[in-house]
């Protein structure tokens, strides 16, 4: 028993020796990288003083004196058995205790960002300096049609620009509530209006962009003056426009809707309600009423059942109906007096009217597709306009129109930008058609996993980092970014319409 106690008493010192040896070996792991094809690389590094991070740029110093730049896409902890050890204890009881020596290190992989096809082995890897990253962006990696939106969060102080040409593909803009998604989307829209000729329509369910024409009070005077010139072509269709502005009241005319929209609005089935359905179609074709009030007068005769149905459903009381000779939102699509058209869906009293306007606008854009005039359609809070599972007929029509544009609109110059809080909430046939990704903070690992499964052109390890993002930080990838990059969005020039309520109550 006494000998056994002596052996156990010796264990702490033996464990200390084990840990010291393991640390010595772990610190000896050299930061080395190799490339078998000249396009991708693998890297190892010691866990002690580890400065590499996924999404960061790595400088690879080769034996020939040249330095190549790489983007680290993944980094993980690995454990490897280095040896079997015999730790001496006490010859009187045990000669030694056998154990395995497990050494831990970091292993990662990434892509080289230059066009040099040469392979290499055991190049020394280190974090690239901001100067090196900036030089690469300037020479080879920068956008050819730049939209400055902020700086690289992995290389602080290095400005970053999206490539405007990439917006000829559909874009998915996603971030949890409080991630800075709406603010950052405003930065992108400002740059598109300042630096391109692309027309923009914004479906705005929360009235976040109704003040897009106004410069922020804290904006630089020069930037505000430049913005004022671009903002002159912004028109808002909303609730009560000022008398001295170019804005207009948000209105639709009942007769300009499609027959499918009429049926959805009045809950008419072409088969079950065939008499009322046919009577409504006949009245619209024969009488050609200009507004809903004129239609009501027509319905007072032969279409009494339809009029009763409209009153029972509250359709006659919709705030969106144009009166008499008033213009319509859809009329604006044929005019050239705007660059950016903000449709203030938040000015409407309920989801039903928002779905009606969204569906009517998207359907009319599709009907006008033969014009082939480039247009970016921004659907903010897209889960309200084209949800994964539409809950009513009007929302289903709007969703169908969005899916049609997502599938075929690009060839006609109609590009989508869908923004939402959670990727699963938007119809999968819209999300899956997006070739650009702007991903901000996601609190849910399940949301990140879903995004990784849909956007397979982005390394999954980079998407996983979204759960760690801070305010305004994002992952951008696709045609709008030469390489996947972690970007922190900069300041806006225009006034934000829907800022959070101050928490001074706390």
């Amino acid at each position: 028993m006494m000998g056994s106690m002596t052996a156990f008493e010796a264990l702490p010192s033996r464990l200390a020796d084990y840990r010291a040896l393991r640390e010595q070996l772990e610190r000896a792991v050299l930061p080395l990288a190799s490339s078998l094809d000249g396009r991708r690389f693998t890297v190892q590094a010691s866990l002690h003083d580890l400065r590499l991070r996924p999404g960061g740029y790595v400088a690879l110093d080769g034996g020939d004196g040249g330095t190549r730049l790489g983007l680290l896409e993944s980094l993980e902890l690995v454990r490897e058995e280095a040896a079997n050890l015999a730790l001496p204890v006490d010859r009187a009881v045990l000669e030694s205790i056998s154990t395995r020596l497990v050494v831990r290190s970091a292993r990662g992989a990434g892509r080289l960002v230059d066009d040099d096809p040469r392979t290499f082995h055991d190049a020394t890897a280190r974090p690239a300096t901001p100067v090196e990253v900036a030089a690469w962006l300037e020479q080879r990696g920068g956008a050819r049609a730049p939209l400055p939106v902020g700086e690289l969060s992995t290389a602080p102080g290095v400005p970053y620009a999206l490539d405007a040409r990439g917006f000829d593909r559909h874009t998915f803009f996603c971030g949890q509530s409080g991630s800075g998604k709406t603010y950052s989307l405003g930065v992108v829209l400002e740059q598109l209006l300042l630096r391109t000729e692309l027309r923009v329509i914004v479906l705005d369910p929360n009235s976040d962009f109704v003040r897009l024409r106004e410069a922020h009070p804290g904006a630089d005077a020069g930037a505000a003056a430049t913005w004022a010139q671009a903002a002159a072509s912004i028109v808002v269709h909303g609730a009560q426009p000022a008398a001295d502005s170019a804005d207009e009241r948000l209105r639709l005319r009942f007769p300009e809707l499609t027959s499918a929209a009429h049926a959805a609005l009045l809950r008419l089935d072409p088969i079950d309600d065939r008499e009322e359905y046919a009577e409504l179609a006949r009245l619209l074709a024969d009488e050609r009423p200009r507004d809903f009030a004129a239609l009501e007068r027509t319905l007072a005769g032969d279409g009494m059942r339809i009029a009763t149905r409209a009153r029972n459903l509250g359709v006659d009381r919709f705030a969106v109906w144009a009166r008499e000779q008033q213009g319509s939102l859809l009329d604006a699509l044929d005019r050239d007096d705007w660059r950016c058209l903000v449709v203030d869906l938040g000015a409407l009293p309920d989801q039903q009217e928002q779905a009606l306007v969204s569906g009517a606008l998207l359907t009319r854009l599709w009907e006008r597709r033969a014009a082939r005039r480039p247009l970016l359609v921004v659907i903010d809070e897209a889960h309200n306009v084209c949800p994964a599972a539409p809950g009513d007929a009007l929302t289903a029509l709007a969703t169908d129109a969005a899916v049609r544009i997502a599938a075929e609109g690009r060839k006609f110059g109609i590009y989508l930008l869908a923004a939402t809080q959670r990727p699963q909430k938007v119809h999968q046939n819209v999300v899956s058609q997006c070739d650009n990704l702007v991903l901000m903070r996601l609190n849910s690992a399940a949301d990140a996993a879903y995004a990784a499964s849909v956007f397979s052109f982005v390394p999954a390890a980079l998407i996983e980092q979204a759960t760690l993002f801070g305010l305004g930080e994002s992952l951008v990838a696709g045609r709008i970014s030469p390489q996947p990059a972690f970007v922190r969005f900069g300041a806006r020039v225009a006034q934000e319409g829907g800022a959070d309520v101050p928490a001074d109550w706390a």
Side-chain angles (χ1 to χ4, degrees), residues 24 104 136 188 239 251 274 294 314 367 386 398:
Q24 183 178 1
R104 302 159 299 175
W136 168 70
V188 173
R251 299 184 181 94
R274 53 188 175 275
E367 292 172 346
C386 46

Side-chain angles (χ1 to χ4, degrees), residues 35-41 68 111-120:
S35 174
L36 300 180
D37 58 9
R39 296 182 178 181
R40 301 191 59 82
F41 69 93
R68 300 182 64 178
R111 69 179 71 178
L112 295 160
V113 298
D114 56 29
D115 298 323
D116 189 342
R118 290 178 298 170
T119 63
F120 57 86

